[in-house]
Amino acid sequence: MTDRHEAALLKRTVAVVEDNPDNRMLVEAILGSRYAVTSYATGPSAVAGCHGAPPDVILLDITMPGMDGTQVLRALRADPRLARVPVVALTADAVCGARDRYLALGFDDYVSKPILSAEDLREVIRRNLPE
């Protein structure tokens, strides 16, 4: 194995669950050089994909058609393999009190959209990665 291949295997995994392809590409561009990023466009595909290959942290959009972010969170928390994976709410809901509301729902952290700072997003991922 090459050093580059070994380094790739050691990268922590971030799952991005976001129905907007532009937002997925932005997050992948911000995180892709430091983390292995797996993207999902729907809640059901994220639940199935994360069950098959649990990530180290999940960025989860709230407003998605069909299965919204809170429903995805409940499904993830009900799965013993995923119950302890940190889940960060990724949402355009940035009104006063939104952060506290999402934390009370069981999210581990909160990032508002639009993402204005790549470094702020990377910091949220760093602080939520398990040791």
Side-chain angles (χ1 to χ4, degrees), residues 20-38:
N20 182 303
D22 293 334
N23 289 340
R24 282 195 312 272
M25 284 192 319
L26 175 63
V27 172
E28 290 168 4
I30 292 171
L31 300 177
S33 66
R34 296 181 180 172
Y35 304 100
V37 179
T38 305

Side-chain angles (χ1 to χ4, degrees), residues 29 46 51 81:
H51 176 78
R81 295 186 64 205

Side-chain angles (χ1 to χ4, degrees), residues 88 96 120:
V88 177
C96 184
D120 287 349

Side-chain angles (χ1 to χ4, degrees), residues 28-108:
E28 290 168 4
I30 292 171
L31 300 177
S33 66
R34 296 181 180 172
Y35 304 100
V37 179
T38 305
S39 294
Y40 302 98
T42 69
S45 67
V47 172
C50 290
H51 176 78
D56 294 299
V57 65
I58 299 168
L59 286 173
L60 177 55
D61 184 21
I62 299 301
T63 307
M64 295 184 294
M67 186 179 202
D68 73 19
T70 58
Q71 293 168 317
V72 173
L73 178 67
R74 281 193 298 275
L76 295 171
R77 296 292 190 228
D79 183 335
R81 295 186 64 205
L82 301 170
R84 296 192 187 276
V85 174
V87 180
V88 177
L90 182 63
T91 180
D93 182 4
V95 298
C96 184
R99 177 183 177 78
D100 292 336
R101 187 173 64 251
Y102 289 112
L103 295 177
L105 288 171
F107 287 90
D108 296 285

